[in-house]
Amino acid sequence: MVQPARTLDEPNDKARLAVWKFTSCDGCQLSLLDCEDELLQLADCMEIAYFMEASSNPSPGPYDLSLVEGSVTTADEVRRIREIRAQSRVLVTIGACATAGGIQALRNFADVDDFIAAVYAQPEYIDTLKTSTPISTHVAVDFELHGCPINKKQLLEVISAFLHRRPPQVPPHSVCIECKMRGNVCVWVAHGTPCMGPVTHAGCGAICPAYSRGCYGCYGPKENPNTASLSHWWQRELGAEKVVLIENLRNFNAAAPDFEAESRRQEGGDGQK
Amino acid sequence: MAKSKTIKVDYLARVEGEGALYIRYDDAGVHDVKLKIFEPPRFFEGFMRGRDFREAPDITARICGICPIAYQMSAVHAMEDALGLTLPPELHALRRLIYCGEWIESHTLHIYMLHAPDFLGYPGAVAMAKDHPQIVQDGLSIKKAGNAIVGLLGGREVHPINVRVGGFYRVPSAGELQPLREQLLHGRDMAMETVRWAVSLPFPKFERALSEQYEFVALSHSNEYPMNRGSIVSTRGLAIPVRDYDSHFREEHVEYSSALHSTLIERGAYFVGPMARYNLNYDRLSPMVRQVAGEMGFPPFCANPFHSIVVRSLEVLFAFDEAVRLIDEYRKPDVAYISAETHAGTGYGATEAPRGLLYHRYSIDDAGKITEAKIVAPTSQNQKTIEDDLRLMLPKFMHLPEKQLQAQCEQAIRNYDPCISCSTHFLKMNLQRVERTSS
Ligand code: SF4
Ligand code: SF4
């Protein structure tokens, strides 16, 4: 993570935090308010300068750390993210929407006009882009925290890494490793349940297998995932239908390049792995 | 010559999502009120077509991070209706327990972090904590107890993973629920204090005239305070099964909002949420909650929307009481879920989200693919009522200095805990005073 260019002049000169919302469900910023034990302490260490969900007293930039939730789906959001970047020393995107376009990126695989017509009686009132794109499509991002939703412990790690000027410890391995650390029985090996764990980014603590279900990939792709192999094993060895595989590659992180390419390859489209 | 004055606030704070308000008024009255919702649409009802019915609870949860359980509950009920599945009481009890968790965390977030700062004159809970550390600490620990329920039963607080059509992926043993019980008993005591504190807040006086009275709409069930099931009733005699929703309620698309406006056909605006539930189901609250309300002198029917913070705190108390009861009476279900042959059908589901009635309707085909989805969120149902409140309220507060008047309007909106992310974003406030020279 790029460190703040500014040195804080006085020991009690607090770093300024901003929390921004783009197209999203609010779940990732809520994770910050869900840090019930740490929130007030955090407010002691940092000035919460802009956080509309929590305070009606926004203060103008520049900001030392911007946390950005949500994806870009309107022309106004394209403009707004550039302004925010210009105002922010360090910009961290939080969640699947901000890092991979979110569930609303399903429009990237279809004709958005069909969706508008399915939902709205007066399509002409709706102002939206044909795609939902991650923040990094539009501006430089210093660090991406994955998950739908993000894990609040990891969020605190990212914030404390920023405050201590060190890189965040957010391992890029798969959910499988977390499963082993948690002592879960492997749902794939033991029950033949199709599981996205082998290709999915760690961070959740392997919740789904702990609750007897296969991972559905809500943390997005791990570093260098072997998605082709996963597809092979799901279909040949677990008997999963292709459509189920595609649905799992194409949900909350549908626009993450590794998942997108594999889902298109499975569809017989243009994705090359 | 007409002289006009404008007050602008860029973004309504302490609501979930983004919206704007535009009011134009002068001494003669209010000319125009528009609650504008700019939240960019996410098209859930569009892209759900073609997806497997089993995905509905995971996908619809993502409509809103504040009340994902509500979406999951309405979705699974509608799917079970389509498939003709009836769940055993033990699974219903567990669903009620997880819903109690969501009511507690969502209501407490609203009471302490979003709404209380209005009454006490702070921009937010963090600023409020400097002068009232104990209040904010208590709020956070009550909220934490609610999150503990959702975390345990759902796997995590935001977008739980354990809810499925037919039940759960995994159900806990009675022993696993025990540690929760201690935390809930402590939470219940603190919730009692919350009620005491909430009734003592300074409330703006605002009651509608009899002729302008709200039509409250909520679920009602013969022996439960409504959460997961019941029929739809109103204070003006509506009493219909959930499957008849579409023939009584209508959604309209207005130009200034990306959330559809809901009305009761031929009757207009209506009011869903904690006050509606309370007014229509007071006698189904636990004796303890009714007793506490009575001791505080809080009536069984409440029509001042600013009192909603008290009703919410009573519902938090109820949810704790109910959660403790559910844990005490818990019997582990024989199976975590029940299943049925997949077949084509249409199903209807309505449950009580913390903010009010949440209706889902799905059609699925023989392969279990969704062919049509309809979702009506509480906030879109309340939008017209919120606008009406502002229209009726403004003349009573017009004498206030503009800054205060604006704060009053924002507070009136927050009475509804509007969840704009749910209903589809930007709360820009635009208050315009048209001044006329006498003619
Ligand atoms: S990533 Fe998921 S939890 Fe976070 S804002 Fe997007 S939909 Fe909500
Ligand atoms: S879907 Fe996968 S990444 Fe998401 S919570 Fe479940 S196990 Fe974790």
Side-chain angles (χ1 to χ4, degrees):
Chain A
M1 169 154 69
V2 178
Q3 297 305 315
R6 176 179 87 142
T7 44
L8 303 176
D9 308 325
E10 303 286 330
N12 56 0
D13 197 0
K14 284 189 196 175
R16 311 186 75 228
L17 173 72
V19 182
W20 307 97
K21 178 186 158 64
F22 286 76
T23 304
S24 70
C25 82
D26 277 43
C28 288
Q29 49 176 316
L30 178 69
S31 300
L32 193 58
L33 298 178
D34 274 350
C35 296
E36 288 102 357
D37 295 332
E38 299 88 2
L39 184 66
L40 295 178
Q41 205 187 334
L42 177 77
D44 281 342
C45 314
M46 294 183 93
E47 179 197 346
I48 303 178
Y50 187 100
F51 189 0
M52 289 313 278
E53 187 171 339
S55 168
S56 55
N57 188 23
S59 77
Y63 309 98
D64 297 298
L65 174 62
S66 275
L67 299 174
V68 183
E69 171 195 273
S71 68
V72 174
T73 67
T74 65
D76 186 59
E77 288 185 332
V78 175
R79 182 192 56 73
R80 208 152 58 88
I81 191 60
R82 293 193 183 128
E83 270 172 24
I84 290 167
R85 175 72 266 187
Q87 294 276 319
S88 311
R89 294 195 167 82
V90 172
L91 188 150
V92 173
T93 52
I94 56 171
C97 294
T99 60
I103 185 89
Q104 54 277 10
L106 289 176
R107 74 182 68 179
N108 305 3
F109 301 84
D111 183 348
V112 73
D113 293 332
D114 291 345
F115 290 165
I116 298 175
V119 181
Y120 294 100
Q122 307 283 345
E124 65 277 13
Y125 296 167
I126 296 299
D127 173 22
T128 185
L129 298 173
K130 294 202 176 304
T131 54
S132 167
T133 40
I135 299 298
S136 61
T137 304
H138 305 274
V139 296
V141 169
D142 298 302
F143 187 78
E144 297 190 307
L145 187 62
H146 300 274
C148 178
I150 53 166
N151 175 320
K152 62 186 188 187
K153 297 256 153 38
Q154 288 197 326
L155 177 63
L156 289 171
E157 163 59 20
V158 168
I159 295 173
S160 103
F162 163 83
L163 288 171
H164 294 95
R165 301 165 191 221
R166 60 169 173 79
Q169 306 273 327
V170 177
H173 55 231
S174 73
V175 167
C176 288
I177 309 284
E178 293 198 297
C179 231
K180 306 299 168 280
M181 296 197 303
R182 188 166 177 155
N184 286 339
V185 169
C186 176
V187 294
W188 178 322
V189 173
H191 311 298
T193 306
C195 182
M196 294 281 284
V199 297
T200 301
H201 203 289
C204 71
I207 313 173
C208 292
Y211 281 73
S212 305
R213 75 179 286 194
C215 170
Y216 55 94
C218 77
Y219 270 59
K222 72 182 264 278
E223 201 173 60
N224 303 320
N226 191 342
T227 49
S229 172
L230 182 101
S231 300
H232 170 83
W233 284 86
W234 269 49
Q235 292 170 90
R236 297 290 147 70
E237 310 297 326
L238 296 173
E241 282 176 62
K242 183 179 274 197
V243 35
V244 176
L245 172 67
I246 294 174
E247 276 169 349
N248 277 274
L249 288 163
R250 210 172 269 181
N251 49 40
F252 314 101
N253 294 274
D258 290 302
F259 282 4
E260 174 167 355
E262 183 60 17
S263 75
R264 290 197 193 273
R265 197 175 73 98
Q266 288 298 326
E267 247 182 0
D270 51 75
Q272 289 306 316
K273 192 53 221 167
Chain B
M1 277 268 288
K3 230 169 61 186
S4 75
K5 257 199 208 159
T6 311
I7 299 176
K8 267 189 193 165
V9 177
D10 286 338
Y11 198 101
L12 194 84
R14 284 185 279 122
V15 298
E16 291 104 4
E18 300 179 298
L21 178 70
Y22 172 80
I23 303 179
R24 199 167 58 85
Y25 69 101
D26 62 20
D27 294 336
V30 182
H31 299 292
D32 199 8
V33 175
K34 284 186 183 128
L35 179 64
K36 301 185 174 187
I37 293 188
F38 292 124
E39 182 94 22
R42 295 168 76 208
F43 307 116
F44 279 83
E45 292 152 310
F47 63 65
M48 282 184 77
R49 292 181 177 188
R51 306 285 303 206
D52 191 274
F53 77 94
R54 296 175 198 87
E55 291 188 289
D58 294 326
I59 292 180
T60 55
R62 268 69 181 186
I63 292 176
C64 176
I66 323 289
C67 58
I69 295 290
Y71 282 88
Q72 297 192 322
M73 290 296 133
S74 291
V76 294
H77 279 265
M79 290 303 178
E80 286 155 11
D81 184 41
L83 296 172
L85 280 179
T86 313
L87 264 59
E90 292 82 11
L91 285 172
H92 266 297
L94 263 187
R95 285 192 172 164
R96 201 165 160 80
L97 183 57
I98 197 171
Y99 224 143
C100 285
E102 178 155 289
W103 275 25
I104 294 169
E105 65 77 18
S106 173
H107 273 355
T108 309
L109 173 81
H110 189 260
I111 293 170
Y112 284 92
M113 315 208 68
L114 310 186
H115 213 189
D118 278 334
F119 290 94
L120 300 177
Y122 294 91
V126 168
M128 197 167 92
K130 298 223 160 45
D131 302 334
H132 305 279
Q134 201 53 47
I135 293 180
V136 177
Q137 285 289 5
D138 288 353
L140 288 168
S141 62
I142 298 171
K143 182 161 153 296
K144 193 175 167 186
N147 272 333
I149 302 178
V150 182
L152 180 74
L153 293 181
R156 64 180 166 203
E157 297 88 349
V158 180
H159 306 329
I161 52 89
N162 193 25
V163 171
R164 65 177 287 166
V165 178
F168 293 86
Y169 287 90
R170 179 183 167 276
V171 289
S173 66
E176 277 176 89
L177 294 178
Q178 276 315 307
L180 210 50
R181 196 177 178 278
E182 287 305 303
Q183 196 178 356
L184 295 179
L185 286 175
H186 181 58
R188 189 169 68 179
D189 291 345
M190 289 200 293
M192 197 110 63
E193 289 310 310
T194 304
V195 179
R196 240 181 273 280
W197 164 77
V199 284
S200 73
L201 292 169
F203 296 104
K205 285 208 182 10
F206 175 65
E207 301 263 353
R208 292 190 181 198
L210 222 49
S211 59
E212 292 162 334
Q213 200 46 268
Y214 302 105
E215 179 160 7
F216 291 104
V217 174
L219 289 180
S220 168
H221 185 268
S222 52
N223 46 29
E224 292 173 354
Y225 192 76
M227 282 185 180
N228 257 317
R229 52 188 178 182
S231 53
I232 301 173
V233 300
S234 88
T235 43
R236 282 195 215 145
L238 183 77
I240 56 163
V242 171
R243 55 173 56 240
D244 286 352
Y245 181 95
D246 294 304
S247 43
H248 293 268
F249 297 84
R250 185 173 46 209
E251 285 71 52
E252 281 158 22
H253 190 189
V254 296
E255 185 171 5
Y256 56 86
S257 174
S258 56
L260 303 178
H261 273 198
S262 270
T263 51
L264 260 161
I265 292 169
E266 277 163 26
R267 295 230 280 271
Y270 60 102
F271 189 145
V272 301
M275 269 173 61
R277 285 193 292 259
Y278 179 87
N279 288 340
L280 286 157
N281 297 279
Y282 179 81
D283 53 345
R284 305 270 186 284
L285 285 164
S286 60
M288 188 257 250
V289 178
R290 275 179 284 152
Q291 191 189 333
V292 169
E295 280 167 15
M296 310 279 157
F298 195 75
F301 189 93
C302 155
N304 178 345
F306 292 94
H307 282 140
S308 62
I309 191 167
V310 180
V311 177
R312 265 185 205 97
S313 67
L314 286 165
E315 281 200 342
V316 171
L317 181 62
F318 172 74
F320 274 112
D321 208 26
E322 186 71 354
V324 172
R325 180 186 73 79
L326 288 163
I327 291 176
D328 288 344
E329 293 172 5
Y330 181 66
R331 253 195 57 231
K332 187 177 177 186
D334 298 329
V335 289
Y337 61 91
I338 51 163
S339 47
E341 284 283 291
T342 306
H343 59 79
T346 296
Y348 307 82
T351 71
E352 285 287 345
R355 289 153 199 79
L357 194 72
L358 169 59
Y359 172 72
H360 289 212
R361 184 192 77 213
Y362 302 99
S363 296
I364 59 175
D365 65 16
D366 277 322
K369 298 293 170 205
I370 297 168
T371 54
E372 214 197 326
K374 176 173 176 170
I375 297 169
V376 188
T379 297
S380 63
Q381 305 188 67
N382 276 339
Q383 274 185 102
K384 267 197 166 346
T385 299
I386 299 174
E387 289 181 351
D388 286 348
D389 269 5
L390 292 164
R391 197 173 290 122
L392 292 168
M393 201 185 80
L394 215 74
K396 301 194 167 99
F397 296 106
M398 222 141 50
H399 60 280
L400 293 172
E402 271 178 21
K403 254 201 141 68
Q404 245 172 295
L405 180 60
Q406 186 182 302
Q408 194 82 79
C409 293
E410 291 191 41
Q411 184 176 0
I413 295 171
R414 282 192 282 266
N415 285 334
Y416 291 82
D417 190 5
C419 188
I420 297 172
S421 312
C422 281
S423 55
T424 142
H425 239 21
F426 265 96
L427 213 64
K428 252 189 211 132
M429 175 91 98
N430 194 337
L431 196 61
Q432 191 176 1
R433 188 188 176 96
V434 188
E435 264 166 37
R436 294 194 185 143
T437 47
S438 48
S439 52

